[in-house]
């Protein structure tokens, strides 16, 4: 099979292609526009077998010092017809090699870890990488289930807290664009309390501007005061949690329980079939997430395709650089 790979420059055509193959929200045009405004370049390609669209991929490119040129990255991509996942991914890899001459293509597909597509990756030159950006261990709800079935899969304590927090004098609703500064204030408070790093404010406002209705935010309000928020990105098939935060008052009122249940209900009402909690670690946040389901999911993880003889050097340097950056951020926080 010979596949053609061509760039797509039309937003409507692109998002339609992503949604036609149940693509991830991080493959939407608006997400790429946000990354392009913050130190990445973007190339969106359609993959065809003759006239038939069989796949697509939003390629993010980060310029590297000479002689590495660039690193190409697929965030939860590519999209592909069932059974053609590897053919599409390899066609994109060849395109990146010839067009961008990148040192490597790094992919974190939205594929189950035990799928045939993942099992086939090593045979075509792909190697697993420890330089992970998106956590593969996660929790994905099947929103084709009824609300009663979704509730039944939750822990007893989670159902109790949803009922309890819904009785508090809080208003749960969508957050408007004008209220984004309220979310940022809560997010900064949360980040300081939990000691994690965040982007500049412009990054978050760009997400909202570029994704529009595909970037819903839900909040819990005590009068005019925001006490908790949950920010999603949503394609036609998948909702993905981006950010969230809560004040001490919101924590005491268990506002995050009813807030997450509202987001799940809203995404289900949109016709979305998958709700991804965006990663599980061994921490308190993950323990909270586990209360919403009786299972967990493991996605493909991070895979690299070497596109240059310099890749072995790059592969040794990258983890060291990332550890150094992490230590530097920790020192800055302290």
């Amino acid at each position: 099979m010979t596949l053609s790979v061509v760039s797509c420059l039309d937003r409507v055509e692109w998002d339609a292609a992503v949604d036609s193959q149940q693509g991830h929200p991080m493959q939407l045009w608006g997400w790429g526009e946000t990354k392009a405004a913050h130190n990445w370049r973007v190339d969106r390609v359609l993959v065809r077998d003759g006239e038939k669209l069989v796949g697509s991929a939003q390629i993010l490119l980060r310029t590297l010092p000479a002689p590495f040129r660039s690193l190409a990255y697929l965030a939860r991509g590519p999209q592909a017809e069932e059974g053609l996942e590897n053919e599409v991914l390899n066609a994109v890899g060849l395109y990146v090699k010839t067009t961008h001459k990148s040192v490597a293509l790094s992919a974190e597909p939205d594929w189950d870890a035990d799928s045939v597509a993942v099992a086939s990756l090593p045979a075509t030159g792909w190697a697993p990488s420890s330089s992970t950006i998106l956590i593969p261990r996660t929790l994905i709800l099947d929103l084709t289930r009824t609300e009663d079935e979704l509730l039944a899969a939750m822990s007893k304590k989670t159902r109790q807290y949803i009922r309890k927090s819904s009785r508090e004098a809080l208003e749960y609703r969508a957050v408007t664009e004008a209220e984004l500064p309220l979310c940022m204030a809560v997010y900064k408070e949360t980040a300081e309390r939990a000691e994690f790093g965040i982007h500049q404010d412009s990054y978050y406002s760009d997400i909202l501007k570029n994704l529009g209705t595909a970037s819903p935010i839900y909040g819990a309000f005590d009068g005019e005061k925001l006490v908790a928020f949950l920010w999603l990105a949503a394609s036609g098939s998948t909702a993905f949690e981006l950010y969230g935060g809560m004040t001490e008052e919101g924590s005491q009122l268990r506002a995050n329980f009813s807030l997450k249940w509202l987001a799940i209900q809203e995404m289900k009402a949109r016709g979305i079939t998958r709700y991804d909690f965006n990663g599980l670690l061994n921490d308190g946040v993950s323990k909270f997430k586990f209360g919403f389901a009786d299972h967990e999911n493991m996605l493909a993880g991070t895979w690299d395709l070497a596109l240059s003889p310099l890749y072995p050097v790059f592969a040794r340097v990258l983890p060291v650089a990332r550890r150094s950056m992490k230590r530097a951020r920790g020192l800055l926080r302290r």
Side-chain angles (χ1 to χ4, degrees), residues 166-229:
S166 66
R167 291 193 296 267
E168 299 291 346
L170 297 177
E171 179 187 9
Y172 296 92
R173 61 169 174 82
V175 173
T176 67
E177 184 176 356
E179 292 170 326
L180 180 59
L182 300 179
C183 295
M184 295 312 305
V186 173
Y187 197 40
K188 290 172 184 176
E189 178 184 333
T190 303
E192 184 175 353
R193 187 170 61 243
E195 296 187 330
F196 62 82
I198 62 175
H199 296 281
Q200 294 180 337
D201 287 1
S202 60
Y203 182 81
Y204 302 100
S205 60
D206 283 346
I207 291 175
L208 198 57
K209 176 184 69 177
N210 291 321
L211 280 173
T213 58
S215 183
I217 309 175
Y218 300 100
F221 289 83
D222 182 2
E224 295 183 357
K225 181 182 179 183
L226 181 73
V227 299
F229 78 94

Side-chain angles (χ1 to χ4, degrees), residues 74 86 89-90 92-93 105-109 120-128 302-307:
L74 301 180
N86 295 94
L89 185 55
N90 288 323
V92 173
L105 173 60
S106 185
E108 295 180 327
S120 303
L121 285 173
T124 53
W126 291 83
T302 309
W303 292 80
D304 283 358
L305 179 65
L307 302 177

Side-chain angles (χ1 to χ4, degrees), residues 115-132:
S115 66
V116 173
V118 172
S120 303
L121 285 173
T124 53
W126 291 83
S129 171
S130 60
S131 296
T132 296

